[in-house]
Amino acid sequence: MNYAVLTGDLMASRQVEPGEWIHLLKDVLSKYGQPTTEWMIYRGDSFQLETTPKMALTAAIHIKSAIKTIQHLDVRMAIGIGTKTFSGNQVTESNGTAFQHSGDCYESLQKRSLAIKTGVSEIDEELNLYLRLACLTMDSWAYKTALTVKVVIENPDRTQKELEKLLHTKQSGISASLKRSGFEEIDLMIRRYKKIITNL
């Protein structure tokens, strides 16, 4: 059985009070795992999440959309896919190739904001190309665009008409925000990612 480990930190977090973003980050992380054993925030603005490989990319994009609803903030994240050989009382104490791949990938991010390591070079090359291209758009999301993506991810079964009340905007505005976000292409990328990871 494979696991996914997401390691990340906030960029430019010192420009914003923690009270403005920490509840958002906790809320998103809680949708993908249990606190302490499956996710933790540590060293001020760093975090780690253990989840399923299938949900890892969605979780990463969900986190990014939440954080980018706050001016000046963005997030860097590394996804590691692999095994889990030790379960600690805290997720940061657990071990296995999923945790090692995530840590190695995080250390090699440099100027990238999102990357993945599975340990299979051909798969890593393909998925990281997709992520580089997606980040050309995602890294420049403005507040309204990021908020729209966040709400759509959190309400996958609702129509744009049904989302009007949640976003306090008309359907045409939601549609425009999703187009600016590249959401259709991002959704295709997630589908392709899930297919690749399922066959890993």
Side-chain angles (χ1 to χ4, degrees):
M1 180 179 176
N2 277 340
Y3 294 80
V5 176
L6 200 157
T7 303
D9 71 345
L10 272 66
M11 300 162 65
S13 64
R14 293 183 181 179
Q15 297 182 31
V16 181
E17 288 295 321
E20 292 189 43
W21 57 263
I22 198 162
H23 66 286
L24 281 172
L25 181 57
K26 286 182 175 180
D27 182 60
V28 175
L29 291 172
S30 294
K31 296 182 186 301
Y32 299 94
Q34 296 298 315
T36 309
T37 55
E38 293 180 320
W39 67 262
M40 281 189 67
I41 299 171
Y42 59 97
R43 288 192 317 197
D45 62 359
S46 297
F47 58 92
Q48 191 163 70
L49 167 69
E50 177 193 316
T51 188
T52 64
K54 186 177 180 181
M55 294 307 300
L57 182 54
T58 300
I61 294 170
H62 193 179
I63 291 167
K64 190 175 186 72
S65 67
I67 295 302
K68 286 189 72 67
T69 62
I70 301 173
Q71 192 175 10
H72 304 306
L73 287 188
D74 203 344
V75 62
R76 300 186 312 150
M77 292 171 287
I79 300 170
I81 308 292
T83 61
K84 180 181 179 182
T85 55
F86 176 75
S87 295
N89 293 326
Q90 300 178 344
V91 65
T92 51
E93 296 174 353
S94 297
N95 209 337
T97 57
F99 294 85
Q100 294 161 12
H101 288 163
S102 184
D104 291 345
C105 186
Y106 177 76
E107 293 298 328
S108 65
L109 278 175
Q110 296 179 338
K111 293 183 178 181
R112 289 180 292 168
S113 64
L114 181 58
I116 188 168
K117 181 175 180 180
T118 68
V120 181
S121 58
E122 296 85 357
I123 290 176
D124 290 348
E125 185 177 350
E126 179 179 349
L127 291 178
N128 280 305
L129 174 59
Y130 298 155
L131 295 179
R132 281 178 180 267
L133 292 171
C135 283
L136 292 175
T137 301
M138 296 192 300
D139 287 351
S140 61
W141 282 346
Y143 166 79
K144 190 174 181 180
T145 302
L147 179 63
T148 302
V149 172
K150 177 180 179 291
V151 171
V152 169
I153 290 175
E154 291 173 354
N155 299 273
D157 299 322
R158 296 201 186 193
T159 65
Q160 288 185 18
K161 189 68 179 175
E162 292 171 328
L163 292 173
E164 286 182 342
K165 291 182 180 179
L166 291 175
L167 286 163
H168 307 291
T169 189
K170 293 182 178 180
Q171 184 179 349
S172 58
I174 296 171
S175 180
S177 289
L178 289 176
K179 188 172 183 179
R180 282 195 301 273
S181 75
F183 191 79
E184 182 178 352
E185 291 77 14
I186 289 168
D187 186 54
L188 289 172
M189 176 183 69
I190 291 173
R191 291 172 187 269
R192 175 60 179 160
Y193 161 84
K194 286 181 178 179
K195 186 174 181 180
I196 292 171
I197 291 300
T198 300
N199 295 326
L200 186 62

